[in-house]
Amino acid sequence: MVLSSATTNDVDVMARRLRYVQPTMEDIPHCFEIESASYPEDEAATLSSLKYRLSHAPKYFQAAVLEESIIGFVCGTRCNHFEEESMSSHDDTGKLLAIHSVVVQENYRRQGIATAMLKEYVKKVQQENTDGSIKSIVLLAKSHLLGFYVNCGFQVNRPSPIVHGQELWYDLEKKLVRGLPLEGKESWFCKTETFKQPYPKVKPYLEEHVQWVNKLRAEGYCITSGYRVDSEGRPGGGGLMFLAAESYKDAHRLILQDPLVRNDCVDWELNGWIGQVGDLQMR
C-alpha cells in the first residue's frame, strides 16, 4: 500500500477539496492504472480483481475525486478469517472488512490525500455498521508504513503469515463498535449516577468500570460511559452512561454488573431515552 506523509494542515486543506464516490465499471481501467503505478507487479491487484471487488463488494470500494477526476481509491472485501484467500473473495456476512488497496495517483502524492481517503473510508464504514456485523477493519502493511496506519487509528498485531510479493508484511487492525440500537429491536437507556463513597475508595472500581465497558463494546454491545464536569472542566458531578437494550429489564440486568454498582460506590438511576429532536450514535 503506497502512501506518503503530509502535515496536518496539508491534510485538512486537501480533505476539503475531495469528494468521494463509488466508481463505475467504466472507471476501473483508470483505477487499475493507479493501482499498477503504486505497487510492484507481484503485489498489485489485477484488472479482473478490481472488477471483482467492485461488482461483489461495491459499498466497500470508494474513490477520491478531485476536479471531476479519480485520483485515488480505497477498496476492500469482507471475510471471516484474514488470510491469503480473502484477498480474492468476498463474504457479505464476513465479520472482518479487509482493505486491499489504499492508493493515490503519483502526481497527487505527499499532499495528505491518502490520510484523508482512509479516514473518510473508515468513517463511512463505522456510520453504516449499525448492526455491528463488521467487528474489525484489517489490512496488510510494510514496515515503513506502520506509523501512517497507527496515526489513522489502526494497531499493529503481528508480522503477517500471509505471503504477498517478496517482502514481509504486518497485520493491522481497527476494531469497530456498534453505533446504534438494532432497528426495531433495541432502544436507548441512560444511567445517571453520583458518587457516594470517597474518591480513594471509588478509584479502583472506576478502573474496573472502564475495563467492563470496553469488554462489552468488544462483545458487540452498544454502550458508552463518561463523567460529568463543571464549568471549569473539573469532574465530580457523577457519571453518565448510554446503552442500547431490548428492554428496561435487560438494561437493568446489565447495569447490575457494573463494578461501581456492585461495590456500592454510586447512587444511580436508570431511564429509557427517546430522542425527540435528533438522535445519538456511538463511536
Side-chain angles (χ1 to χ4, degrees):
M1 299 182 183
V2 177
L3 307 165
S4 56
S5 60
T7 66
T8 301
N9 186 60
D10 290 336
V11 172
D12 292 341
V13 170
M14 184 53 68
R16 289 192 291 270
R17 298 180 60 198
L18 297 174
R19 64 183 180 90
Y20 298 93
V21 301
Q22 179 184 299
T24 65
M25 277 298 173
E26 288 71 28
D27 296 318
I28 290 301
H30 178 56
C31 291
F32 177 62
E33 290 177 3
I34 300 174
E35 172 88 7
S36 300
S38 300
Y39 295 99
E41 185 176 354
D42 59 349
E43 296 174 5
T46 63
L47 180 63
S48 61
S49 292
L50 293 180
K51 288 181 177 179
Y52 175 89
R53 293 170 189 171
L54 179 60
S55 61
H56 289 79
K59 66 188 297 184
Y60 306 117
F61 203 130
Q62 181 171 280
V65 175
L66 182 66
E67 298 175 353
E68 304 308 314
S69 177
I70 291 176
I71 62 168
F73 66 89
V74 181
C75 69
T77 56
R78 291 177 66 168
C79 58
N80 282 304
H81 303 285
F82 190 35
E83 51 198 11
E84 192 163 359
E85 290 73 16
S86 63
M87 308 283 281
S88 56
S89 62
H90 174 66
D91 179 350
D92 280 329
T93 63
K95 63 184 179 181
L96 304 177
L97 172 59
I99 292 178
H100 304 308
S101 297
V102 183
V103 291
V104 176
Q105 193 169 304
E106 189 170 7
N107 56 317
Y108 287 104
R109 293 176 190 163
R110 309 193 69 82
Q111 298 178 51
I113 293 172
T115 298
M117 280 198 320
L118 184 56
K119 288 186 174 180
E120 181 65 26
Y121 186 89
V122 170
K123 177 182 175 182
K124 181 175 182 289
V125 171
Q126 289 177 315
Q127 289 176 338
E128 295 180 353
N129 188 41
T130 55
D131 62 355
S133 61
I134 300 177
K135 305 301 182 184
S136 295
I137 302 175
V138 296
L139 56 84
L140 296 176
K142 296 178 182 177
S143 59
H144 69 283
L145 291 173
L146 297 182
F148 168 84
Y149 284 110
V150 169
N151 288 335
C152 288
F154 288 79
Q155 66 180 37
V156 182
N157 285 342
R158 60 176 180 171
S160 180
I162 297 175
V163 177
H164 185 55
Q166 302 300 312
E167 298 186 50
L168 174 66
W169 296 76
Y170 291 83
D171 286 344
L172 287 90
E173 179 180 20
K174 180 177 177 61
K175 295 183 183 296
L176 302 184
V177 296
R178 186 156 61 88
L180 292 169
L182 297 175
E183 189 172 355
K185 189 175 182 181
E186 294 179 328
S187 55
W188 285 120
F189 293 87
C190 176
K191 182 192 80 167
T192 54
E193 64 190 19
T194 54
F195 297 138
K196 58 189 291 187
Q197 303 288 353
Y199 179 72
K201 183 174 181 179
V202 171
K203 186 175 184 294
Y205 301 115
L206 277 173
E207 295 168 357
E208 283 188 33
H209 168 84
V210 171
Q211 294 172 3
W212 174 71
V213 173
N214 280 331
K215 180 174 180 292
L216 291 176
R217 287 163 66 92
E219 291 174 356
Y221 284 86
C222 186
I223 184 170
T224 190
S225 178
Y227 54 86
R228 292 172 285 165
V229 298
D230 63 18
S231 61
E232 303 298 323
R234 294 172 298 202
L240 182 66
M241 173 187 288
F242 282 95
L243 68 150
E246 293 187 20
S247 67
Y248 184 94
K249 184 178 179 179
D250 288 342
H252 189 272
R253 185 184 301 115
L254 191 64
I255 294 301
L256 292 179
Q257 301 173 22
D258 185 341
L260 291 173
V261 173
R262 286 192 293 105
N263 292 281
D264 199 31
C265 296
V266 294
D267 288 319
W268 61 279
E269 183 176 4
L270 178 66
N271 298 101
W273 185 85
I274 299 174
Q276 187 172 14
V277 179
D279 203 349
L280 300 172
Q281 183 170 359
M282 304 300 174
R283 63 176 182 175

